[in-house]
Amino acid sequence: MANLIKLEIVTPDRNLLSEEVEYVGAPGVSGEFGVLPSHIPFLSALSIGSLLYKQNGKRYYIFVAGGFAEVTPSKVTVLAEVAEKAEEISVERARKAREKAEQRINQQKEEIDYVRAKAAMARAMHRLKCRESGVSAGTCSL
Amino acid sequence: MAPLREIKRKIGAVKKTKQITKAMNMVASAKLRGAQQRIERFRPYAEKYSEILTDLSSRVDASIHPLLEKRAEIKTVGIILITSDKGLCGSFNVNLCNTALRLSNKKKEEGKEVKLFCVGKKGRNFFRVRKYDIEESYPDVMSNFDFQLASEIGSKMNDMYLKEELDEVHIVFAEFVSMVRQLPQTSQLLPVQQDEESVQEGPTSEYIFEPSMEGLLAEILPRFIKVQVYRGLLDTSASEHAARMTAMDNATKNCDEMVGQLTLVYNKARQAAITSELMDIVGGAEALKQG
């Protein structure tokens, strides 16, 4: 058996995932980081983006937003406010959200709205990107 | 004695009420199951959060982050009160409101200003009738809320706290202990309390932190507030349904009792009516004989 590390993804509403995997790549606030089994204990805040894990040589993608990851030599725990598997992402919804955010940004009414629109935009873009990666890796059926 | 027909109508009415209370009991039990599942799913998340936070905050000095630091002078206290939107659940909401009221009065006696934040209609109405100022209320949310709501309330608290509009925040919610026990609970939200006992020396943790430990705390602390608010919401929602189940169960039992009593009265009245009718007939016959 190959060297494996346990990956657990937990959100406030559910336990999204609990699997033995070969590799985890996560979007940390100060850049992406990769975790292999026997990684040194590590704690990082996460930004918005795609989390990648490899299992049986295949790449799987998960969209995460907000939260942090705790890494121990045998386990990675991701606590995220939002987490969705690539196949759960609704492309249509993400597209619509992006369009709406684009409109808001172009209008540039108030500052607070602007910040919100930017965040919404980032979420929508990363959702789409995550979905695309999943499709191209062949682990997410359309 | 009331006329027969009236008693009969009353029995019918009570029976209908019983059907309603029984149905409400079943609805509440179904909702309770859902609410309990949500708590179960949320628990690992919340536990991990407090575990990491306790670990982190015990290694640093409180002055490192404003959300940890106790303010020397406390002028304004915020109270978040979580209640249900609907009644018919016994003393559930009254208990919660009284807990909040006592806390608020205590703080006022100490010369502090109190700002109220009411989640759920019942708490808002309670304080509105008593002419209290309500800073903000969130009515009609308890039947269908998600983490977004907790997030919204949590960020508001953080913002107001950092702007020094609030110097201390407490949350009042109903802890779901068991089916028959729901305890009104008060806990301090801000400043975040450090675990005094397990204070560890220096940043000698085995972890690598990214970004720095301070940066990480700044990320985690505001979220921790949201997690706690969410926990309060979930617990209160489960407690509400449990309280309603108990209340409706009692109501159904009372209905049964009342139907029994009314039936007894009805039968007695019927007997009396028959007896008096017989007396009339016998009396009439006697009169005819004599005549």
Side-chain angles (χ1 to χ4, degrees):
Chain A
M1 197 66 188
N3 212 355
L4 293 177
I5 186 163
K6 193 170 173 76
L7 171 65
E8 251 187 35
I9 302 180
V10 194
T11 70
D13 293 319
R14 59 185 171 159
N15 261 326
L16 183 71
L17 188 95
S18 179
E19 301 261 12
E20 297 283 340
V21 302
E22 289 146 19
Y23 169 83
V24 182
V29 279
S30 25
E32 291 214 6
F33 61 86
V35 178
L36 286 166
S38 320
H39 193 284
I40 187 171
F42 173 62
L43 197 61
S44 170
L46 297 179
S47 66
I48 302 168
S50 301
L51 182 139
L52 148 81
Y53 70 92
K54 275 192 211 160
Q55 196 178 31
N56 298 326
K58 280 188 181 157
R59 293 155 170 272
Y60 295 84
Y61 290 87
I62 289 170
F63 168 78
V64 289
F68 57 93
E70 185 199 28
V71 179
T72 63
S74 61
K75 195 172 172 190
V76 182
T77 312
V78 176
L79 295 172
E81 260 167 51
V82 183
E84 286 161 16
K85 288 183 183 172
E87 63 259 33
E88 291 171 352
I89 296 169
S90 156
V91 179
E92 202 181 323
R93 225 189 92 196
R95 277 214 187 102
K96 272 194 189 138
R98 187 175 66 180
E99 276 164 28
K100 219 168 133 191
E102 266 169 3
Q103 277 174 11
R104 285 240 182 92
I105 289 172
N106 290 336
Q107 284 169 2
Q108 276 190 16
K109 264 192 277 177
E110 277 172 57
E111 203 174 326
I112 193 143
D113 263 7
Y114 186 71
V115 176
R116 266 201 204 156
K118 273 267 189 195
M121 176 99 161
R123 278 198 302 272
M125 302 265 277
H126 279 290
R127 272 206 175 91
L128 289 173
K129 210 173 137 198
C130 175
R131 172 97 187 180
E132 272 167 27
S133 318
V135 172
S136 64
T139 51
C140 161
S141 52
L142 274 172
Chain B
M1 198 168 284
L4 278 182
R5 205 147 31 104
E6 213 158 279
I7 303 177
K8 204 161 191 186
R9 208 168 52 211
K10 211 164 191 179
I11 294 177
V14 175
K15 274 186 179 161
K16 274 180 193 151
T17 310
K18 186 189 146 187
Q19 277 183 340
I20 295 172
T21 55
K22 217 173 174 181
M24 279 185 77
N25 181 338
M26 285 195 277
V27 170
S29 80
K31 283 190 176 163
L32 173 67
R33 218 168 305 137
Q36 265 180 310
Q37 271 170 10
R38 276 177 87 177
I39 293 183
E40 289 300 318
R41 282 197 298 252
F42 179 62
R43 195 163 286 152
Y45 187 82
E47 272 169 11
K48 199 83 209 167
Y49 240 104
S50 33
E51 196 182 294
I52 291 182
L53 189 77
T54 333
D55 186 59
L56 271 177
S57 62
S58 63
R59 290 170 203 285
V60 294
D61 193 59
S63 58
I64 207 164
H65 197 275
L67 293 183
L68 277 173
E69 196 176 14
K70 277 206 186 87
R71 299 207 173 135
E73 194 194 356
I74 290 159
K75 280 177 282 184
T76 332
V77 180
I79 298 176
I80 308 176
L81 169 64
I82 306 177
T83 57
S84 70
D85 282 319
K86 295 188 180 113
L88 291 176
C89 41
S91 57
F92 176 72
N93 285 312
V94 177
N95 285 345
L96 280 170
C97 291
N98 280 334
T99 310
L101 188 66
R102 269 199 301 273
L103 180 67
S104 146
N105 287 342
K106 197 180 125 207
K107 296 287 173 192
K108 274 184 184 163
E109 272 166 30
E110 290 168 14
K112 294 161 189 163
E113 199 191 320
V114 174
K115 285 185 176 168
L116 280 167
F117 301 85
C118 297
V119 185
K121 255 188 200 161
K122 288 286 162 185
R124 183 195 65 176
N125 295 351
F126 180 92
F127 281 102
R128 196 191 259 167
V129 166
R130 282 163 184 73
K131 308 269 181 252
Y132 276 68
D133 276 337
I134 296 167
E135 183 79 11
E136 178 112 33
S137 62
Y138 304 84
D140 291 320
V141 287
M142 290 309 281
S143 57
N144 186 17
F145 63 88
D146 52 17
F147 196 74
Q148 204 61 41
L149 176 70
S151 198
E152 198 182 304
I153 300 171
S155 338
K156 187 154 181 86
M157 292 304 124
N158 285 335
D159 287 351
M160 289 184 78
Y161 187 80
L162 292 178
K163 279 187 211 149
E164 308 208 350
E165 286 168 29
L166 295 172
D167 303 305
E168 207 178 87
V169 181
H170 295 267
I171 182 165
V172 178
F173 66 99
E175 191 187 356
F176 181 77
V177 186
S178 71
M179 286 297 299
V180 287
R181 248 164 79 88
Q182 299 90 34
L183 277 182
Q185 274 278 349
T186 312
S187 69
Q188 185 176 326
L189 215 56
L190 283 167
V192 175
Q193 278 169 320
Q194 276 175 301
D195 204 345
E196 302 280 344
E197 283 168 26
S198 66
V199 170
Q200 289 163 28
E201 280 304 307
T204 49
S205 167
E206 47 187 331
Y207 282 100
I208 301 177
F209 296 100
E210 186 177 291
S212 61
M213 193 139 63
E214 294 78 20
L216 206 54
L217 261 181
E219 283 274 331
I220 292 176
L221 279 172
R223 290 222 179 90
F224 183 65
I225 306 300
K226 296 175 189 173
V227 167
Q228 275 185 307
V229 174
Y230 193 56
R231 187 191 155 215
L233 288 172
L234 284 178
D235 258 42
T236 307
S237 145
S239 299
E240 176 200 341
H241 295 310
R244 181 162 300 126
M245 259 182 82
T246 320
M248 287 301 121
D249 206 39
N250 286 337
T252 311
K253 269 186 208 141
N254 286 343
C255 281
D256 275 336
E257 211 170 283
M258 227 171 137
V259 168
Q261 275 171 4
L262 281 173
T263 314
L264 214 65
V265 173
Y266 176 77
N267 286 342
K268 268 186 192 159
R270 196 173 56 103
Q271 276 278 312
I274 293 168
T275 312
S276 71
E277 220 167 277
L278 269 176
M279 297 279 274
D280 275 357
I281 294 168
V282 173
E286 285 292 314
L288 277 178
K289 236 188 254 169
Q290 275 171 14

